Amino acid sequence: MKKQSVLISGGAGYIGTHTAVELLGAGYEAVLIDDFSNSDEAAVEGVRRITGVDIPFEQVDTCDEEALRRVFEKYEFDSVIHFAAYKAVGESVSEPLKYYRNNLVSFMNICALMREFGRPNILFSSSATVYGEPETLPVTEQSARQPATSPYGNTKQMAEDILRDCCAAYPEVRGIALRYFNPIGAHPSALIGELPRGVPQNLVPYITQTAAGIRECLSIFGNDYSTPDGTCLRDYIDVVDLARAHVAAVDRMTQDRMKTSYEIFNVGTGRPVSGLELGEGFEKAHGLMLN
């Protein structure tokens, strides 16, 4: 049986492109939208080359409700995966209004149009940052959310609340929020991957750019954490595994396997890796030394 079509907002982004590849491989059709504010058209072409599918793409800002409406009028899809958001934690502290306006307006537009057009399934790309400074580790879906440590984190908490309330108020709407940790890596083809604009905000692209000579040196800050090597621990997850988790969530919604109209799942490995361990692992795998 032919599977349904999925709209992917932020579809030219790091996780969006990998999810598109996995969705197509699982038999779904997909439509990508993105405004290229932090992505590139080459990523869409990468998806097409990997899959051999001329996947539809529209350059759309999800904050523009009328432009987004035209996408809903043009394409048939039953599910949406919403990735489109600003995500630099530091920038969100210095420019909170930019983050609240973009991240919340875009998601409210998605929710409103999904309801208006009778499209039932909303998968929200959330983040483990909603747990703030957790009281105990590891966190589970039952762990209480703590106050957000940044405006970015607050937008994720607020968007989750918006989705929860929409699912409670509108019987035709179903939603899943995936709270994930630190995606890393790239598709084995190397045709798509993490290509941040400007100075990377995440460790792995900084490592790769240092190895490529784009950055002069790699600095790993902190040496007094209560960890085996004194550097900070993070739960890193391969981006392809994360993409497959999104496919599993879409399956859950479209195959009527949800237990309630709104569900939350953590997506991680449960095996933390330190910053120093990650850098040394990269050196060993590639037979080189980072400055």
Side-chain angles (χ1 to χ4, degrees):
M1 183 177 67
K2 182 180 177 181
K3 292 190 176 181
Q4 299 171 351
S5 182
V6 181
L7 175 71
I8 305 178
S9 70
Y14 176 42
I15 306 171
T17 50
H18 288 83
T19 299
V21 168
E22 296 305 315
L23 275 171
L24 292 171
Y28 287 92
E29 295 181 349
V31 177
L32 308 184
I33 59 173
D34 205 299
D35 65 355
F36 292 141
S37 60
N38 192 35
S39 57
D40 193 275
E41 192 172 358
V44 179
E45 290 305 315
V47 173
R48 290 170 175 158
R49 289 178 63 187
I50 292 167
T51 63
V53 176
D54 188 17
I55 189 168
F57 174 81
E58 301 284 342
Q59 186 170 349
V60 172
D61 180 353
T62 47
C63 287
D64 185 339
E65 185 175 5
E66 288 310 308
L68 190 57
R69 181 185 300 278
R70 290 192 288 272
V71 172
F72 276 73
E73 292 170 343
K74 183 175 181 180
Y75 297 98
E76 290 291 334
F77 50 85
D78 297 287
S79 307
V80 62
I81 305 177
H82 184 64
F83 290 113
Y86 295 148
K87 63 182 183 66
V89 172
E91 183 186 51
S92 78
V93 174
S94 60
E95 297 191 57
L97 286 177
K98 173 181 177 180
Y99 275 68
Y100 286 119
R101 181 179 297 112
N102 182 77
N103 293 7
L104 297 180
V105 170
S106 64
F107 188 55
M108 286 190 289
N109 285 344
I110 289 284
C111 291
L113 289 169
M114 288 294 283
R115 183 180 180 227
E116 178 182 335
F117 282 80
R119 315 288 174 81
N121 306 310
I122 302 174
L123 176 54
F124 175 58
S125 170
S126 190
S127 168
T129 191
V130 301
Y131 293 111
E133 296 291 343
E135 295 177 351
T136 59
L137 292 173
V139 293
T140 71
E141 290 86 349
Q142 287 70 48
S143 299
R145 294 188 328 189
Q146 301 297 328
T149 58
S150 69
Y152 162 74
N154 205 23
T155 66
K156 291 296 186 181
Q157 289 185 342
M158 295 170 74
E160 282 191 0
D161 292 344
I162 290 168
L163 181 56
R164 178 202 64 205
D165 293 345
C166 285
C167 292
Y170 312 129
E172 67 275 20
V173 175
R174 293 173 295 201
I176 292 178
L178 295 186
R179 296 172 175 171
Y180 51 86
F181 294 77
N182 299 271
I184 60 172
H187 190 268
S189 68
L191 291 172
I192 54 175
E194 190 169 13
L195 298 170
R197 293 187 175 181
V199 179
Q201 300 292 315
N202 298 324
L203 179 56
V204 171
Y206 213 106
I207 289 174
T208 57
Q209 289 190 14
T210 303
I214 299 172
R215 305 290 162 192
E216 184 177 352
C217 67
L218 173 68
S219 298
I220 298 177
F221 298 99
N223 59 10
D224 58 355
Y225 288 89
S226 57
T227 62
D229 61 23
T231 64
C232 187
L233 291 171
R234 292 284 185 268
D235 187 328
Y236 294 97
I237 180 171
D238 185 87
V239 68
V240 175
D241 290 339
L242 179 59
R244 289 171 179 164
H246 284 79
V247 176
V250 173
D251 283 343
R252 187 173 178 86
M253 291 190 294
T254 59
Q255 297 174 21
D256 294 323
R257 297 206 304 263
M258 295 178 65
K259 295 181 180 179
T260 60
S261 64
Y262 173 61
E263 296 181 332
I264 296 167
F265 297 100
N266 288 347
V267 185
T269 66
R271 194 275 191 189
V273 176
S274 74
L276 186 60
E277 185 181 0
L278 192 63
E280 290 175 345
F282 184 92
E283 288 179 329
K284 182 178 179 180
H286 294 273
L288 50 78
M289 293 291 292
L290 300 173
N291 293 328

